[in-house]
Amino acid sequence: MRNKAAALLAVIMTFACFAGAQKYRIKYSVDEKDPISLENAIRLALENNYELLLTEQDVVISEQRLKEAKFLYLPEISFNAAATGYNLDSPIVLPDSLGLRYIAPAKDHDTDTLFYGLGVSATQYLYTGGRISSTVGMAKAGLKEAMSRYEAVKYSVIYQVKEAFFEQLFLQRKEALLEDMVERVESYLKGKSYKQWERVLIQAERAKMKSKVNALKEELSSANLKLINVLNKELNSKVVISGEFDFNPINVDLAKATLWAMEFRPELKSALYKLEMDNISVKLSLARRYPNILLGIGYDRQGEDNINDENIQATLALKLPFGYDYGTQLKQKRAEQRQSNLKRAAIEDSIRSEVLEAYNNLMFWQEETAVRINTWDAINKELGSLNYNTLSKEEAIKVFNYYYEAGVDYLEGIKEHMLAIAKLELAVGQDIRE
């Protein structure tokens, strides 16, 4: 029967923990045959990421610690019932765990007697020098700090998804460009006569194109594996993605982005909550010098062979704790407080540096990508009016190679610009596109 009860309790606790965790993430399921958009890939990663699931449980644990801390405001209530067999030569007082009852020797020392007791007591702290409120405040700051760490991991996962997703989109379009280039070359070479040295040239160029195709297949395979790992899917999964791959310039004000980062970055919030916890720790160290004022109420029935005797008591007590480590504890907590202040300042400097670096990177790729797009458009325009019959075969193959290289640069510029936006959003801690 005990085994069944324990099993039932385990099931209930597991379900309760699972239910509590669900509000921190969105459940998402996807058919492997359907293309995955960026938004759905992010949802899938947030649902399955191992580190995010761990920090999610930290939030659940912190919530329960806050509830436990609030229980300190409630009175401590205890019930006790006891039957004591005794044969005494002198009076005794039972230990606190057994009811703290006074028992006198029986009149007949040769007779073993039973002493019965039944009671209830309640103890309420009326004043603790701020210890209880500080403990609750510590638990609240701990919960906020856990939630900030969760947000930091979430933003990191989102960036990892974008990085893998954009790389996959880039390689897909690079593959299409390479296929187009190979088709153009083969179409040009078809039906022509060649000199011997030209046949050597063509064989060498075909070998290079084959190597490019094989290298691109390997890149696609590695990119697909990276995306599968980010989504935390089985390694034999087949992930098909779809999404926009365009150049969309944005206007960003560096000063505003830096202010946003100071407001939204979860790492800075976490550092501020850690500083708050250290401030509370200093208060708790100081509060140890203050007395506790308690109110205790008890009702007890006791007696030999019956419980006819009735005892009622109410006690107002003052308890002043004494410890040798008051000074050392206070110095320790103040040193930890200064450490947190220094760490917060260092995090602020690091965030400003990250925002500036990400902003400069975005500005570079915003300008560079525009140049590469213009170059690509100009090359396509020239190729549209180019008469290949006026070129030698060596010149024609060079033109096709230039076409492919310019196309790769164009696609790479778009990818890097999209990644630059994602990096700046990660540095700021929120979406920067208006």
Side-chain angles (χ1 to χ4, degrees):
M1 190 68 180
R2 288 183 177 178
N3 291 337
K4 291 183 178 179
L8 179 60
L9 180 60
V11 171
I12 292 173
M13 292 179 66
T14 302
F15 177 77
C17 292
F18 177 78
Q22 298 310 299
K23 63 181 177 180
Y24 297 106
R25 54 192 169 98
I26 301 173
K27 291 290 290 180
Y28 175 73
S29 60
V30 61
D31 187 344
E32 289 190 358
K33 297 179 181 178
D34 297 333
I36 301 177
S37 66
L38 176 59
E39 291 75 15
N40 289 338
I42 290 174
R43 292 192 185 99
L44 191 60
L46 293 180
E47 179 185 339
N48 296 327
N49 183 266
Y50 174 76
E51 188 176 356
L52 191 65
L53 293 176
L54 287 179
T55 54
E56 178 182 275
Q57 295 309 307
D58 286 339
V59 175
V60 175
I61 292 169
S62 297
E63 285 181 333
Q64 302 312 308
R65 285 176 177 167
L66 177 57
K67 290 180 181 179
E68 290 177 356
K70 289 181 178 179
F71 290 155
L72 297 175
Y73 286 120
L74 303 177
E76 298 177 6
I77 301 174
S78 63
F79 300 89
N80 64 80
T84 306
Y86 66 95
N87 189 343
L88 306 176
D89 291 330
S90 59
I92 65 169
V93 177
L94 295 178
D96 183 47
S97 58
L98 299 179
L100 203 65
R101 292 186 175 88
Y102 171 84
I103 303 178
K107 295 178 181 178
D108 186 356
H109 290 278
D110 297 328
T111 304
D112 292 336
T113 308
L114 285 175
F115 184 88
Y116 298 97
L118 179 66
V120 59
S121 64
T123 303
Q124 176 67 57
Y125 283 86
L126 302 180
Y127 176 75
T128 61
R131 280 186 286 273
I132 292 179
S133 60
S134 295
T135 301
V136 173
M138 178 80 76
K140 287 180 179 179
L143 175 58
K144 292 176 183 177
E145 197 264 341
M147 294 179 70
S148 295
R149 282 189 282 110
Y150 175 86
E151 290 297 312
V153 175
K154 185 179 76 171
Y155 290 142
S156 176
V157 171
I158 290 174
Y159 176 75
Q160 291 173 30
V161 173
K162 288 181 178 179
E163 186 179 34
F165 198 91
F166 295 157
E167 180 69 17
Q168 190 87 317
L169 289 177
F170 163 70
L171 292 175
Q172 286 179 357
R173 283 152 179 80
K174 184 178 177 182
E175 182 181 38
L177 176 65
L178 181 56
E179 290 174 353
D180 178 53
M181 192 268 281
V182 171
E183 184 179 346
R184 285 173 180 251
V185 172
E186 294 298 336
S187 176
Y188 168 77
L189 296 176
K190 186 177 181 180
K192 288 185 173 59
S193 58
Y194 308 106
K195 297 176 183 178
Q196 188 173 14
W197 76 268
E198 290 177 333
R199 288 197 295 269
V200 173
L201 171 66
I202 292 169
Q203 290 298 326
E205 288 299 325
R206 281 176 171 158
K208 288 181 182 179
M209 288 189 295
K210 182 64 176 177
S211 296
K212 289 178 181 178
V213 170
N214 291 334
L216 187 53
K217 287 181 180 178
E218 176 63 24
E219 287 184 75
L220 280 165
S221 178
S222 298
N224 186 65
L225 181 59
K226 181 179 179 180
L227 183 59
I228 288 173
N229 287 330
V230 170
L231 299 179
N232 202 20
K233 293 174 67 67
E234 293 78 7
L235 294 180
N236 59 351
S237 300
K238 179 65 177 178
V239 179
V240 180
I241 66 171
S242 65
E244 295 183 359
F245 192 78
D246 298 316
F247 176 60
N248 296 309
I250 60 174
N251 294 320
V252 181
D253 182 78
L254 178 58
K256 185 184 293 186
T258 304
L259 288 175
W260 283 347
M262 293 297 106
E263 180 180 357
F264 296 114
R265 276 291 290 270
E267 294 90 345
L268 182 57
K269 289 182 181 179
S270 182
L272 291 173
Y273 295 139
K274 181 64 172 63
L275 178 60
E276 181 181 346
M277 293 170 68
D278 288 334
N279 292 337
I280 295 173
S281 295
V282 172
K283 290 181 181 179
L284 280 171
S285 296
L286 292 171
R288 293 179 61 194
R289 303 179 179 183
Y290 302 127
N292 290 323
I293 299 177
L294 305 87
L295 175 64
I297 299 175
Y299 175 78
D300 192 71
R301 297 186 70 93
Q302 60 187 24
E304 297 178 357
D305 302 326
N306 58 58
I307 52 174
N308 292 331
D309 296 338
E310 183 179 62
N311 300 317
I312 301 175
Q313 60 85 17
T315 303
L316 183 65
L318 183 145
K319 182 179 178 182
L320 181 62
F322 176 79
Y324 294 102
D325 60 347
Y326 287 155
T328 59
Q329 283 287 314
L330 185 58
K331 288 182 179 178
Q332 176 185 330
K333 297 304 179 183
R334 282 180 173 167
E336 291 175 357
Q337 185 184 43
R338 286 192 290 271
Q339 279 184 336
S340 295
N341 257 320
L342 293 172
K343 289 178 180 178
R344 177 192 56 79
I347 290 174
E348 286 184 353
D349 292 340
S350 175
I351 289 175
R352 290 190 182 95
S353 177
E354 288 179 28
V355 172
L356 178 59
E357 183 180 356
Y359 174 82
N360 290 337
N361 183 57
L362 174 60
M363 293 299 101
F364 167 78
W365 282 110
Q366 200 144 281
E367 182 177 348
E368 175 67 17
T369 304
V371 172
R372 294 187 182 190
I373 290 175
N374 290 336
T375 302
W376 174 245
D377 291 340
I379 288 177
N380 276 279
K381 184 178 179 180
E382 292 294 336
L383 287 178
S385 59
L386 181 63
N387 183 3
Y388 291 95
N389 293 326
T390 63
L391 303 176
S392 67
K393 295 180 179 61
E394 186 177 11
E395 290 173 333
I397 289 175
K398 284 184 179 180
V399 167
F400 291 127
N401 282 325
Y402 292 151
Y403 164 78
Y404 175 70
E405 290 170 4
V408 172
D409 289 343
Y410 152 74
L411 294 174
E412 184 182 36
I414 294 177
K415 181 195 74 171
E416 291 297 335
H417 179 257
M418 295 168 70
L419 275 176
I421 295 175
K423 286 178 183 177
L424 185 56
E425 289 176 341
L426 179 65
V428 170
Q430 73 158 14
D431 192 341
I432 59 174
R433 284 165 289 194
E434 300 178 355

